[in-house]
């Protein structure tokens, strides 16, 4: 199998590297001929001396942050201890074998993605060398620091993704086995414990890395470390999120459509697409969110650090606020752990003997409890660290942060209004489907997504508005643009309860996989299984109750997967706003000149706003197109190979081939998208700096609403299907088929396009920092014409990949090298399928 795929991937990767390398080489040549010196921007920033900060009790800032470092080590220990606990939980061998197969295929996918990431990182590293080493004139040692930390940042995103799939694939089979006892509590505790393990490791590792930069590296290279680190983790998150989102929905749609085609049950073991679907749950719903959460937490911190160094002129205030920010982060880590332990103890007391439970209820209580304790910890830490600052600054800053922490609990409640199995919007989708079939199902889902955009948008406006009003109560005396700092603190508060946000998000892939593991294990068909379970594990299985509880728990997982998406995209937008302000400060020389260009009367700024919206809509289409074509190929292969008579399980080889198809189209689609975004960023940064600022603002705002709309519409469609399956017991009916159609439309909406907008926005903003500084520097050196020619060249390259994202990915009747040598074929069958023959007339000839 590997020998079939390599020729498909390598030409694509080689062409991409050549084009990107040519672009980087053009940058180098453009700088070599220019005289003078280009400012290194944020990488040239120097940290203040933190040891001069003194908290209550006489602790220095350095000592205080050392305590924070110790907390992160304990957080990592907590995560790995939970991993060991889950691994030691009882599980039947039939279920363990399935979960290990899922892990093996997930691991193979992640290894392939790791190689892909290294190739992309090589391109970014070349740009960093050319920019900082050749054009800016950094010493090679300083340039090496930026490169090294970009690799560390990318490795951080990759490592938490790997940890996530290992925890989840232990937890899925243990959850499935626990359901056989007929009690619901374990079905709640195991997935949440796994999610909390991921959340604590993710946040602790991120905070550990940033504290190491603050405490142990020379202050004059800290700016370079932070920028390199942020670029690396953004690259890792963007690639893993985009590719994972495409992979998981190819597999999910390919598996779901078999229920209509062959009238088989969900997760039928004879369907070779089900293992790929389970792998996709990890690739898209575990790997992607883990890398995304890691990057979001880090980039928001880097944005705040950069803002303070640029907007606050007093080094002592800079140092004090930096110590306070990282002390609050450590305190919130403790708050999340305590909230989880307290909520878990309550859930055990409340549901220990229960036969039924609302699986959403303890998850909701955990989110609100964490928010309350985090807010209290914020005020307490601020009073301790900055209580002696002027004008009651401690409570003002704490209140601003608490607006974000409150949003972290309020936004999930609003999301549930549109995605929960008990919500009126979701039930409206079901009622529409009953009489109107797939068409009214889709229309009702679109209504839910659009309404959610309004209410979530207004909630964000209200909380950010409150932060803005508080920022006017004296913050202007110590910094430039205090409102921007307030917005950054709101994003910081969003992420304060990060371990719990990640935990409830990671709950979903475990519950989804647990249901699949049950079916794939065919445990009910094992001879004398009842006696075996009584003798070996000491209980009599309750088969029907187990299946019902697994389906109900999957509905709760769907809901809380949906709740985390707006939180992450919200932080991306608010954090990007803070980072954009860093560009504005540089361009306007500290807000002293050129401010009039940041308005609609400056045409390039307006044109940039329009260009950003266009990019968001292209990205949405390109990511869904990759899913569409990949799903077509997966369905084609499954229809040709599925065996429903005489077998109980699909062959492992067929299952792995479906995984190979998903991997191929995920990487091919991601490469088109990434390189289009990469060169568009270079092109628009070179057009005109205020055009680029308009572009960044536009992609953030368009991206926010596009992501909210798509995520919640998809969530509504998903749980409408769950209501039909669990509450109405109407599987294999026209109503069920209508909701399956809606769910397959919603799959790429909620788990591909919407979620990938988050890392795309942040990568564009971070990489744009380098690009716009380079363009301005070359212009000031008298190379304005060259800058504009480069902008045109980069835009043409970007357009090439935009064109390929459809024309290179569209469905063909027969996908062969002869039809399209760039199409990266997979030999999925020896002969064209009936589906290919039927659709041949619809295919456009080359």
């Amino acid at each position: 199998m590997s020998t079939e795929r390599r020729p498909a991937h390598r030409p694509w990767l080689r062409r991409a590297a050549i084009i990107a390398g040519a672009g980087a080489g053009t940058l180098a040549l453009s700088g070599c001929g220019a005289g003078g010196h280009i400012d290194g921007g944020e990488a040239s920033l120097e940290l203040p001396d933190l040891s001069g900060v003194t908290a209550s009790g006489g602790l220095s800032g350095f000592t205080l942050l050392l305590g924070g470092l110790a907390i992160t080590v304990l957080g990592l220990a907590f995560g790995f201890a939970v991993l060991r606990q889950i691994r030691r939980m009882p599980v039947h061998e039939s279920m363990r074998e399935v979960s290990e197969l899922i892990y093996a295929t997930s691991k193979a996918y992640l290894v392939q993605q790791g190689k892909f990431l290294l190739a992309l990182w090589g391109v970014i590293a070349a740009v960093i060398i050319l920019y900082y080493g050749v054009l800016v004139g950094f010493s090679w040692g300083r340039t090496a620091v930026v490169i090294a930390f970009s690799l560390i940042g990318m490795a951080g995103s990759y490592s938490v993704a790997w940890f996530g799939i290992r925890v989840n694939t232990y937890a899925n089979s243990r959850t499935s086995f626990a359901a056989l006892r007929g009690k619901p509590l374990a079905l709640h505790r195991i997935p949440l414990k796994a999610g909390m393990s991921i959340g604590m490791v993710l946040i602790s590792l991120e905070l550990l890395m940033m504290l190491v930069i603050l405490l142990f590296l020379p202050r004059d290279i800290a700016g370079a470390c932070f920028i390199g680190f942020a670029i690396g983790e953004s690259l890792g998150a963007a690639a893993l999120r985009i590719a994972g989102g495409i992979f998981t929905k190819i597999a999910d749609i390919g598996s779901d459509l078999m229920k209509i085609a062959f009238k088989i049950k969900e997760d039928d073991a004879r369907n070779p697409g089900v293992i790929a679907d389970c792998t996709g749950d990890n690739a898209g719903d575990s790997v992607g969110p883990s890398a995304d959460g890691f990057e979001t937490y880090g980039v928001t911190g880097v944005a705040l650090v950069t803002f303070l160094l640029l907007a606050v002129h007093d080094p002592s205030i800079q140092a004090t606020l930096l110590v306070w920010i990282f002390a609050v982060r450590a305190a919130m880590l403790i708050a999340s752990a305590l909230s989880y332990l307290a909520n878990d103890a309550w859930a055990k007391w409340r549901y220990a003997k229960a036969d039924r439970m609302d699986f959403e209820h303890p998850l909701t209580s955990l989110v609100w409890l964490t928010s309350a304790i985090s807010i209290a910890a914020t005020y307490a830490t601020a009073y301790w660290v900055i209580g002696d600052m002027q004008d009651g600054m401690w409570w003002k800053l704490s209140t601003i942060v608490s607006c974000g922490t409150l949003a972290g609990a309020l936004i999930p409640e609003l999301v549930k209004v549109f995605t929960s199995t008990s919500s009126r919007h979701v039930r409206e989708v079901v009622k529409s489907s009953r009489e109107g079939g797939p068409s009214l199902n889709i229309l009702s889902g679109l209504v839910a997504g659009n309404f959610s955009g309004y209410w979530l948008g207004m909630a964000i406006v209200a909380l950010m508005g409150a932060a803005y009003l508080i920022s006017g109560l004296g913050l202007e005396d110590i910094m430039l643009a205090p409102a921007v700092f307030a917005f950054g603190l709101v994003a910081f508060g969003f992420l304060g309860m990060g371990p719990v946000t990640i935990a409830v998000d990671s709950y979903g892939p475990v519950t989804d996989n647990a249901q699949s593991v049950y079916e794939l294990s065919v445990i009910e068909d094992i001879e004398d299984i009842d006696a075996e379970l009584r003798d070996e594990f000491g209980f009599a299985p309750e088969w029907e109750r187990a299946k019902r509880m697994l389906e109900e728990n999957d509905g709760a997982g769907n809901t809380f997967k949906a709740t985390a998406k707006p939180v992450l995209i919200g932080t991306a937008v608010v954090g990007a706003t803070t980072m954009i302000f860093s560009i504005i400060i540089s361009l306007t020389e500290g807000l002293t000149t050129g401010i009039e260009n940041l308005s609609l009367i400056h045409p390039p700024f307006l044109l940039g706003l329009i260009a950003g919206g266009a990019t968001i809509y292209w990205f949405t289409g390109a990511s869904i197109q990759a899913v569409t074509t990949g799903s077509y190929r997966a369905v084609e292969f499954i229809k040709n190979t599925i065996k429903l008579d005489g077998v109980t399980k699909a062959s492992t080889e067929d299952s792995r081939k479906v995984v190979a198809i998903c991997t191929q189209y995920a990487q091919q689609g991601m490469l088109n998208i990434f390189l289009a975004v990469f060169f568009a960023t270079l092109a628009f940064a070179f057009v005109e700096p205020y055009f680029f600022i308009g572009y960044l603002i536009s992609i953030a705002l368009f991206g926010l609403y596009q992501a909210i709309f798509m995520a919640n519409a998809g969530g509504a469609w998903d749980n409408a299907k769950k209501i039909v399956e669990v509450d109405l017991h109407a599987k294999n009916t026209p109503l069920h088929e209508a909701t399956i159609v809606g769910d397959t439309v919603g799959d790429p909406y909620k788990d591909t396009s919407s979620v990938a907008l988050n890392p795309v926005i942040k990568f564009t903003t971070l990489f744009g920092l380098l690009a716009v500084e380079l363009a301005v520097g070359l212009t000031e050196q008298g190379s304005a014409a060259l800058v504009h020619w480069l902008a045109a060249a980069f835009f043409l390259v970007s357009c090439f990949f935009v064109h390929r994202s459809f024309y290179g990915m569209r469905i063909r009747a027969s996908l062969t090298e002869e039809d399209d040598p760039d199409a990266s074929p997979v030999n999925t069958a020896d002969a064209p399928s009936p589906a290919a023959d039927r659709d041949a007339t619809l295919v456009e000839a080359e």
Side-chain angles (χ1 to χ4, degrees):
M1 182 176 63
S2 59
T3 57
E4 290 179 351
R5 291 201 310 272
R6 285 180 183 172
H9 291 305
R10 285 182 174 175
W12 262 89
L13 206 53
R14 185 164 56 249
R15 279 190 292 274
I18 291 172
I19 293 172
T26 305
L27 287 176
L29 294 174
S30 69
C32 291
H37 178 73
I38 299 174
D39 183 13
E42 287 71 15
S44 299
L45 296 176
E46 182 175 335
L47 286 178
D49 184 4
L50 303 181
S51 61
V53 179
T54 303
S56 300
L59 285 178
S60 70
F62 186 85
T63 304
L64 189 61
L65 294 185
L66 276 179
L69 199 66
I71 291 171
T72 64
V73 173
L74 292 175
L76 290 171
F78 175 91
F80 281 95
V82 169
L83 171 67
R84 287 195 296 273
Q85 288 177 13
I86 294 173
R87 185 177 59 195
R88 293 171 182 170
M89 288 178 177
V91 61
H92 190 268
E93 182 64 21
S94 64
M95 292 179 169
R96 191 192 68 79
E97 286 178 357
V98 175
S99 66
E100 288 303 305
L101 175 59
I102 295 169
Y103 174 67
T105 54
S106 299
K107 182 172 68 173
Y109 164 79
L110 202 52
V111 168
Q112 187 74 11
Q113 288 301 97
K115 297 174 182 177
F116 209 54
L117 267 176
L118 283 174
L120 293 178
W121 174 82
V123 175
I124 297 298
V127 174
I128 290 174
I129 291 172
L130 296 168
Y131 176 58
Y132 287 119
V134 177
L135 304 177
V136 175
F138 275 7
S139 68
W140 290 112
R142 192 183 188 94
T143 303
V145 167
V146 180
I147 294 173
F149 273 88
S150 70
L151 185 59
I152 291 172
M154 189 180 73
S157 290
Y158 187 76
S159 62
V160 296
W162 195 288
F163 181 82
I165 63 166
R166 182 65 279 186
V167 173
N168 284 348
T169 48
Y170 280 142
N172 59 17
S173 55
R174 277 69 178 175
T175 303
S176 189
F177 184 72
L180 296 177
R181 296 179 182 271
K183 297 293 183 181
L185 180 60
L187 274 71
H188 159 75
R189 294 188 68 212
I190 297 172
L192 187 57
K193 182 176 286 191
M196 199 65 196
S197 171
I198 297 169
M200 289 297 287
V201 166
L202 185 154
I203 301 299
S204 297
L205 182 62
E206 176 72 55
L207 189 54
L208 173 70
M209 290 179 171
M210 299 191 77
L211 285 173
V212 166
I213 295 174
L214 279 174
L215 294 174
F216 301 118
L217 296 179
R219 290 186 290 122
D220 62 331
I221 67 168
C225 296
F226 277 125
I227 290 300
F229 182 66
I231 290 173
E233 60 186 354
S234 286
L235 171 64
L240 292 173
R241 196 49 142 156
I242 295 170
I246 296 171
F247 182 107
T248 185
K249 293 305 106 178
I250 292 173
D252 198 355
I253 293 172
S255 178
D256 276 354
L257 289 181
M258 295 305 103
K259 291 185 289 186
I260 297 176
F262 295 105
K263 305 295 182 183
I264 57 178
K265 62 184 178 180
E266 179 106 16
D267 302 320
D268 194 300
R270 297 168 297 177
N271 181 356
V274 175
I275 287 294
D277 187 14
C278 295
T279 302
D281 288 337
N282 288 285
D285 294 336
S286 178
V287 169
S290 297
D292 191 3
F294 183 84
E295 178 246 7
T296 298
Y297 195 79
V299 170
T300 303
V302 170
L304 285 172
V305 170
T306 302
F307 178 92
L308 288 175
L309 297 181
L310 289 172
V312 178
H313 299 305
D314 187 337
S316 64
I317 296 178
Q318 288 179 355
T320 300
L321 292 177
L322 282 173
V323 170
W324 166 68
I325 284 173
F326 283 93
V328 170
R329 283 195 155 188
M332 285 183 166
L333 194 63
I334 297 174
S336 292
L338 293 177
S339 300
Y340 164 72
L341 294 173
N343 192 75
D344 185 59
W346 170 80
K348 285 167 61 179
W349 172 80
R350 172 70 176 79
Y351 297 107
K353 298 180 180 179
D355 292 326
R356 298 290 300 272
M357 69 180 286
D358 180 351
F359 289 104
E360 290 186 14
H361 185 59
L363 296 173
T364 300
S365 64
L366 173 62
V367 171
W368 280 103
L369 178 63
T370 307
S371 180
I373 294 178
S374 295
I375 289 172
T378 299
Y379 279 97
T381 305
Y383 183 77
W384 182 36
V385 178
I386 59 174
D388 57 353
M389 284 188 72
Q390 62 190 42
D391 300 328
M393 199 61 64
W394 70 274
W395 69 264
K396 296 174 186 176
L397 294 177
S398 296
T399 304
I400 293 172
V401 172
S402 297
C403 287
T405 309
L406 179 62
L410 180 61
I411 286 178
E413 288 300 311
L414 290 174
V415 170
K416 286 195 289 182
V417 170
F418 303 98
T419 62
S420 172
T421 52
S422 60
S423 81
R424 292 183 181 181
H425 277 279
V426 174
R427 293 186 178 273
E428 181 78 4
V429 175
V430 176
K431 287 188 286 186
S432 297
S433 307
R434 189 185 302 276
E435 297 299 332
S439 60
L440 291 190
N441 172 283
I442 291 170
L443 289 175
S444 293
L446 295 176
V447 169
N450 282 303
F451 268 82
S452 73
Y454 174 83
W455 288 112
L456 267 70
M458 287 301 173
I460 293 172
V461 167
L463 292 164
M464 291 181 68
Y468 161 68
L469 294 175
I470 297 169
S471 71
L473 302 178
L475 268 69
E476 68 274 4
D477 296 334
I478 61 175
M479 66 181 65
L480 297 172
V484 177
F485 183 58
F487 295 157
L489 289 181
V490 169
F492 173 75
F494 260 109
L495 296 169
M497 44 196 284
V500 167
T501 300
I502 297 297
V504 297
D505 186 38
S506 297
Y507 188 93
V510 175
T511 59
D512 196 349
N513 265 196
Q515 190 177 3
S516 301
V517 166
Y518 183 96
E519 298 291 349
L520 291 169
S521 68
V522 293
I523 188 171
E524 293 182 68
D525 298 331
I526 297 175
E527 187 176 355
D528 296 327
I529 184 62
D530 289 60
E532 180 184 343
L533 293 177
R534 280 195 300 269
D535 295 342
E536 187 172 347
F537 297 99
F539 70 90
E542 299 189 36
W543 303 109
E544 294 305 316
R545 182 188 292 270
K547 286 184 282 191
R548 189 186 69 245
M549 289 191 305
L550 286 169
E551 287 191 324
E552 290 173 351
N553 202 20
D554 186 29
N558 289 339
T559 299
F560 276 85
K561 278 192 298 184
T563 64
K565 293 179 176 71
V567 173
L568 291 176
I569 189 63
T571 56
V573 171
V574 182
T577 301
T578 310
M579 192 67 74
I580 292 167
F581 183 74
S582 300
I583 303 175
I584 293 173
I585 286 184
S586 175
L587 291 175
T588 60
E589 299 179 9
L591 304 182
T592 60
T593 181
I595 297 296
E596 67 278 2
N597 292 329
L598 295 169
S599 72
L600 297 182
I601 62 174
H602 183 61
F605 181 77
L606 175 60
L607 294 174
L609 293 174
I610 297 172
T615 298
I616 292 298
Y617 279 90
W618 156 75
F619 173 82
T620 300
S623 51
I624 293 178
Q625 177 62 33
V627 172
T628 302
T629 303
S631 298
Y632 179 94
R633 289 301 161 199
V635 168
E636 180 184 52
F637 175 76
I638 294 169
K639 282 183 175 180
N640 283 340
T641 57
I642 191 170
K643 297 179 179 64
L644 300 179
D645 298 323
V647 297
T648 57
K649 289 184 179 182
S651 73
T652 300
E653 183 62 23
D654 285 345
S655 296
R656 289 183 183 274
K657 285 182 180 178
V658 179
V659 172
I661 294 171
C662 297
T663 302
Q664 173 205 332
Y665 285 98
Q667 291 193 335
Q668 188 171 322
M670 187 273 288
L671 187 61
N672 280 323
I673 291 169
F674 178 82
L675 290 177
V677 169
F678 176 87
F679 282 102
T681 303
L682 286 173
F684 295 146
F686 275 49
V687 168
E688 203 259 5
Y690 295 98
F691 176 96
F692 189 60
I693 291 173
Y695 174 75
L696 292 179
I697 293 171
S698 181
I699 64 169
L701 294 180
F702 273 88
L704 171 67
Y705 284 101
Q706 184 80 329
I708 289 174
F709 156 69
M710 299 185 81
N712 292 331
W717 283 315
D718 195 358
N719 269 346
K721 183 189 73 170
K722 190 60 62 178
I723 288 174
V724 172
E725 294 173 343
V726 178
D727 296 347
L728 302 182
H729 306 289
K731 292 183 178 180
N732 297 321
T733 65
L735 173 61
H736 189 217
E737 291 184 4
T739 58
I740 289 173
V741 171
D743 182 40
T744 54
V745 173
D747 278 337
Y749 264 51
K750 65 184 175 65
D751 290 326
T752 304
S753 298
S754 65
V755 294
L757 284 167
N758 179 11
V760 165
I761 289 169
K762 284 177 292 186
F763 176 80
T764 300
T765 304
L766 279 165
F767 188 68
L769 285 172
L770 276 64
V772 77
E773 288 164 4
L774 172 60
V776 170
L778 290 174
T779 301
E780 290 175 350
Q781 294 171 359
S783 301
L786 176 61
V787 168
H788 292 145
W789 278 110
L790 287 173
F794 292 142
F795 181 68
L796 289 175
V797 176
S798 176
C799 285
F800 170 77
F801 287 106
V802 169
H803 181 272
R804 278 204 69 86
S805 65
F806 174 71
Y807 288 100
M809 296 293 295
R810 71 191 191 279
I811 297 170
R812 300 171 187 277
S814 179
L815 198 65
T816 65
E817 292 273 357
E818 184 177 351
D819 287 334
D820 184 358
D822 296 330
S824 305
V826 168
N827 296 324
T828 58
D830 294 330
S833 69
D837 292 336
R838 286 195 305 269
D839 295 339
T841 58
L842 301 178
V843 178
E844 178 182 344
E846 280 289 285

